[in-house]
Each structure stands twice: as C-alpha cells, then as structure tokens.
Amino acid sequence: MALKFYNTLSRKLETYQSIRPGVTDLYTCGPTVYNYAHIGNFRAYMFEDILRRTLAYCGYTVRQVMNLTDVDDKTIRDSRAADMDLATYTRTFTKAFFEDLDTLNIEKAEHYPAATDHVPEMIAMIDTLLDKGYAYVGDDKSVYFSIERYPDYGKLARIDLSQQRSGVRIKADEYGKESVADFALWKHWDDDDGDVYWDSPWGRGRPGWHIECSAMSVKYLGNHFDIHTGGVDNLFPHHEDEIAQCEAATGEKFVNYWLHCAHLLVNNEKMSKSAGNFYTLRDLIKKGFDGREIRWLLMSAHYRQHLNFTLEGLSAARSVLRRIDDFVVRLKELSAEGDAGLDLATDVVEVSRLAFRKGLEDDLNMSAAIAAYFDFMHRVNKAVDEAGLGGNAIDLLLNFCREVDRVFGVIHLGSAEPSVPAAIQALADERLAARRLRDFDRADSLRDDIHAAGWRIDDTPKGTRLVRVSRS
Ligand code: AMP
Ligand code: ZN
C-alpha cells in the first residue's frame, strides 16, 4: 500500500515520497488575524489536520509550520479603525484562533511563526532577489518582483501571462511598477500604514503578504521541503508568488507536493467575510452545536470537493456521532470475560483496518475511511447480537476504535458521554425514586423535563444512562 496525493503542480495523483525517510515537512498557510476565522477557513485547517494525522498514522514524523499573518492591509486597516496598536489588536484574534483549534480538536503544528517576528528574514530574502536581478525598486520606492525576469512564473497555476492577473492583492494606485503583473515584495510606507513600519535598505515600509510565507517556510523547513497546502484561493497568486520568490532566491526547487482544498460553500457561493455569508465557529457554538459536530461536518467530505454548509448538515453530524458514541458505550457495557469471539474480532479488525487505511491512502478519501468504520461497527454489532463477545475481543475492538480516532479525532473513548450536569442528574435521581414508589405519572413527567433540557434517559440492564440529544 502507498500513500497517494493529488499534486496541484502536476495535476496528477502521485505516490507520496518524502525527502527524508520517515519525516514529512509540511507548510500550511495560516490565518490573517484581523478577525475571528470563519468555518470556511476552518475547512482548510481541518483538511490540514486530517493530512497531518494521516501522515502520522502512516508512520511519518510530521514537522508542520503554520504562519500567522499579523501584518497586512486588513490587519492595519482594522486596527486603525479600532484605534488600537497593531500588536494589541491582532493578539485578541490570535488567541481566539488557538481556542478555536482546541474546540475543533485540531492538532497543534510544531511552529506558528508570526510575520512581525520575521521581518529581518523577509528583508534578507528581498535583498537576495534584488542582488540576483529578479526584483527592482519601483518609482514609488516599493520593491517589486519582476515576472518578466523569471520565466518559470505561472507553473503552478498554469496561467497565461499574456492575460492580466486577476484577484491580486495590490492597490489600484500602485503605479510604481514596471508591469501590472509584478507583485510587491516590500511596500513603501504611506499614510494608511500609520505607525506600522520597519526600517529597511529601501526606506520605511512593510513586507508584502507573499514574502511572509516564503521567508518563514524556508527559515523553518529549509529551501526544499515536502508538502505545502492551503485553500484553492491561495493557489494564485499567493502560492505562485511563493514559488517564484523562493526558487529565484535559493536556486532550488521549493516544494515537492502542493495540496489544495476546495471551498466551503453557502448556497453554492464561497463562504467569505467579504460576501458576508459566513459563520464563525463561535456563531455555531452559540446555536447549540459543539466542536465535535462541526469537526465531523468539515472532515467528512473529500477535501477536493466543494462542501455546501447547512445547519441541517450539522444536525446530521450530531446523529452520526450519537451512533458512534452508542457503539462504544455498548461495547463497554458488555461484561463477559474470556476469549469468546476473539477470532471473529481479530478478523473484523484486520479487514476494517485495511479498508480504513486504503481510504486514507487514496488522497485522503474520508468517505471511504468513514465507510470502513461504519462497516466495522455493523459487523461488531452483528457479532454481539449473534454470538456474544468476551473481554479480550472487546479490548481488541476498542483498541481499533482508538486507532481510528488518531485520524478522526471525534470518538469518545474515555468517558463515552459528555459529563451530566448536576441539575439533570438530580432530575434523573428523582425520576428513579418516583418509579420505585410506582408513581409512573411523576416519573414520565420528569423524563419529559429531562428531554426538554436536551438529555435522554436510557434504561439499560446496568441501570439508567443519560445521553445528550439534539436540542433542535
Ligand atoms: P485567509 O485568512 O483569507 O488567508 O485564509 C486562511 C485559509 O482559509 C487559506 O488557506 C484559505 O485558502 C482558506 N479559505 C478561505 N475561505 C475558504 C472557504 N470558503 N473554504 C475553504 N477554505 C477557505
Ligand atoms: Zn501563505
């Protein structure tokens, strides 16, 4: 079996081979910390989390870098509008970003370099580009990358250079360039920048967005590394420009595999701040959903396919997770000892592991990996109904759940249920007391109260169990 990824650079599914055996160096474009990230952004970070976890599951040690863009047009614009200094302003959203990663159970990268901490590295790279003749100082004292002097430009996006670049983050009044297609490496200070500037050999100014990622990826991962990712909107011009800057500066191939995730859509339009059709994670939590449900929704579609976001989709995620939880609880409640069903369990795990891994290896085909896990649950449920399972078989099966969860990150294996609030537990105790007194009307009314508060009572052979249910 071999891990395969669709490489945007070649437009082909390729067998993955790391530069160093057993190690993968991964750069993932991170958030611009000018506001709360929306769940479209989190689709990209979730895809990267599944990629990271899959690489680890397949035996790689992953070294991941995710940048924090804490200086650009938007951070400067909004911090000034809020009448705050840039660092104080972005700190709030950086903190919120890390809280959101925790809510979604996204594994931490090894490095989160902030752009403002790496301006000297950016200046050094720009200096090299000037020395090598790939860059020039424009009439407006900004420094630009000259696309004409770099013939490889366009190899990732496969764009026709005779056409003007669209969607580029340049200001309309940037007339200091030789060609409209050139992009800024260093932006000379102007009034809009206020007190945000660094001194450089070309005067006061600030780095362009693209050079941030080039300088930080090379600093932490070297000139040539394995995988670079982002949402498909990053492909051009951001990633194209990163390649141009790095390869022109270092003379080496920059990245072997480029992976891009498709957009999260709302009513078939890209979810974005500018379109105003976005939900932040916090909006959805306020609506009563939890991080696990949002994680499930975002990870369950293939990363290269559009995912249309709906609240109904989140409710469906809740039902699926309930089935997943019920399965673990059921396994844990089986109390027989010994080796009953051990051979059967061994076979089921082997078949399921193969299907699970095959799905992941096929360009992170989560539908196939999820189907493998559902098939596993189905087979185990059947075995429990028909033959019964002993403790050793159950341990084996629970270990496989744990193994799957190294990638899924949603299965509750410790305590299979979220902890029950004291008020709900008190109602349940009262209901039990009413039943003992054969006051069934009272017991039923308490059950209704518990249900209205979002909990269900299951009467099992081992006693009653409280399970969280949909509040909608
Ligand atoms: P930004 O903060 O705009 O630089 O975006 C951060 C990450 O989110 C990038 O990888 C983008 O490509 C990605 N992204 C932005 N909007 C969406 C969306 N609607 N669906 C998926 N990824 C997105
Ligand atoms: Zn980037």
Side-chain angles (χ1 to χ4, degrees), residues 387-407:
L389 295 172
N392 292 332
I394 293 162
D395 282 350
L396 192 84
L397 296 166
L398 285 172
N399 275 340
F400 181 65
C401 299
R402 214 158 274 130
E403 179 178 327
V404 166
D405 205 46
R406 285 168 52 199
V407 179

Side-chain angles (χ1 to χ4, degrees), residues 53 164 187 194 211 364 381 430 436:
R53 287 168 177 263
Q164 194 175 312
K187 296 183 175 183
I211 199 78
L364 310 178
N381 277 327
E430 205 181 323
R436 278 201 205 99

Side-chain angles (χ1 to χ4, degrees), residues 30-32 38 40-41 43-45 230-231 233-234 262-264 270-271:
T32 307
H38 60 69
N41 300 131
R43 178 176 199 200
Y45 308 135
D233 58 321
N234 279 168
H263 284 145
L264 186 71
K270 180 192 170 195
M271 180 177 282

Side-chain angles (χ1 to χ4, degrees), residues 27-35 37 42 45 64-72 75 86-87 90-99 101 108-119 122 169 198 207-209 211-214 216-217 220 238:
Y27 188 88
T28 49
C29 284
T32 307
V33 281
Y34 73 112
N35 210 321
F42 282 111
Y45 308 135
Q64 181 188 357
V65 178
M66 179 177 273
N67 66 293
L68 302 168
T69 298
D70 59 352
V71 55
D72 78 330
T75 43
L86 185 68
T90 56
R91 197 174 301 129
T92 306
F93 299 109
T94 302
K95 184 168 167 278
F97 174 68
F98 286 112
E99 286 165 3
L101 292 185
K108 293 287 180 307
E110 280 60 37
H111 301 280
Y112 288 99
T116 51
D117 292 332
H118 295 80
V119 177
M122 296 169 204
R169 291 186 178 193
W198 286 261
W209 174 41
I211 199 78
E212 296 184 1
C213 281
S214 282
M216 293 192 279
S217 57
Y220 290 93
H238 184 51

Side-chain angles (χ1 to χ4, degrees), residues 11-273:
R11 304 288 193 278
K12 286 199 184 97
L13 199 62
E14 292 180 18
T15 298
Y16 177 63
Q17 186 135 33
S18 59
I19 297 168
R20 288 185 292 154
V23 179
T24 290
D25 286 340
L26 169 67
Y27 188 88
T28 49
C29 284
T32 307
V33 281
Y34 73 112
N35 210 321
Y36 297 102
H38 60 69
I39 56 157
N41 300 131
F42 282 111
R43 178 176 199 200
Y45 308 135
M46 266 304 307
F47 139 64
E48 287 150 356
D49 185 56
I50 294 295
L51 171 64
R52 175 190 166 89
R53 287 168 177 263
T54 297
L55 285 161
Y57 181 74
C58 293
Y60 291 95
T61 300
V62 180
R63 189 162 58 144
Q64 181 188 357
V65 178
M66 179 177 273
N67 66 293
L68 302 168
T69 298
D70 59 352
V71 55
D72 78 330
D73 298 344
K74 292 182 287 185
T75 43
I76 294 174
R77 180 196 65 200
D78 290 2
S79 62
R80 295 197 76 196
D83 204 16
M84 289 166 88
D85 70 89
L86 185 68
T88 310
Y89 183 77
T90 56
R91 197 174 301 129
T92 306
F93 299 109
T94 302
K95 184 168 167 278
F97 174 68
F98 286 112
E99 286 165 3
D100 288 354
L101 292 185
D102 283 344
T103 302
L104 288 173
N105 195 21
I106 289 179
E107 282 186 356
K108 293 287 180 307
E110 280 60 37
H111 301 280
Y112 288 99
T116 51
D117 292 332
H118 295 80
V119 177
E121 286 85 346
M122 296 169 204
I123 291 177
M125 188 176 260
I126 297 169
D127 222 13
T128 307
L129 290 170
L130 280 163
D131 275 355
K132 291 193 170 184
Y134 292 108
Y136 61 91
V137 181
D139 296 342
D140 60 351
K141 297 194 205 151
S142 288
V143 185
Y144 294 98
F145 187 94
S146 165
I147 283 171
E148 207 184 292
R149 297 182 212 168
Y150 183 73
D152 262 2
Y153 191 85
K155 67 182 175 188
L156 179 71
R158 302 195 178 179
I159 47 148
D160 179 358
L161 271 185
S162 63
Q163 302 203 340
Q164 194 175 312
R165 287 154 38 116
S166 58
V168 188
R169 291 186 178 193
I170 55 170
K171 289 185 199 160
D173 62 356
E174 273 179 339
Y175 47 79
K177 301 189 283 182
E178 288 173 0
S179 156
V180 70
D182 293 348
F183 59 91
L185 297 166
W186 184 260
K187 296 183 175 183
H188 192 71
W189 181 89
D190 68 20
D191 287 340
D192 288 346
D193 292 338
D195 59 2
V196 179
Y197 60 79
W198 286 261
D199 287 319
S200 82
W202 322 287
R204 282 179 176 181
R206 62 183 167 98
W209 174 41
H210 314 302
I211 199 78
E212 296 184 1
C213 281
S214 282
M216 293 192 279
S217 57
V218 163
K219 170 166 179 176
Y220 290 93
L221 300 175
N223 293 350
H224 177 44
F225 60 90
D226 298 298
I227 308 179
H228 193 312
T229 66
V232 72
D233 58 321
N234 279 168
L235 203 163
F236 184 82
H238 184 51
H239 291 164
E240 190 70 55
D241 292 354
E242 277 190 51
I243 295 178
Q245 294 163 150
C246 289
E247 297 195 353
T250 68
E252 291 178 49
K253 181 174 183 177
F254 178 37
V255 167
N256 283 349
Y257 301 85
W258 286 88
L259 272 58
H260 293 99
C261 76
H263 284 145
L264 186 71
L265 307 179
V266 184
N267 295 325
N268 293 314
E269 271 183 48
K270 180 192 170 195
M271 180 177 282
S272 70
K273 296 236 169 69

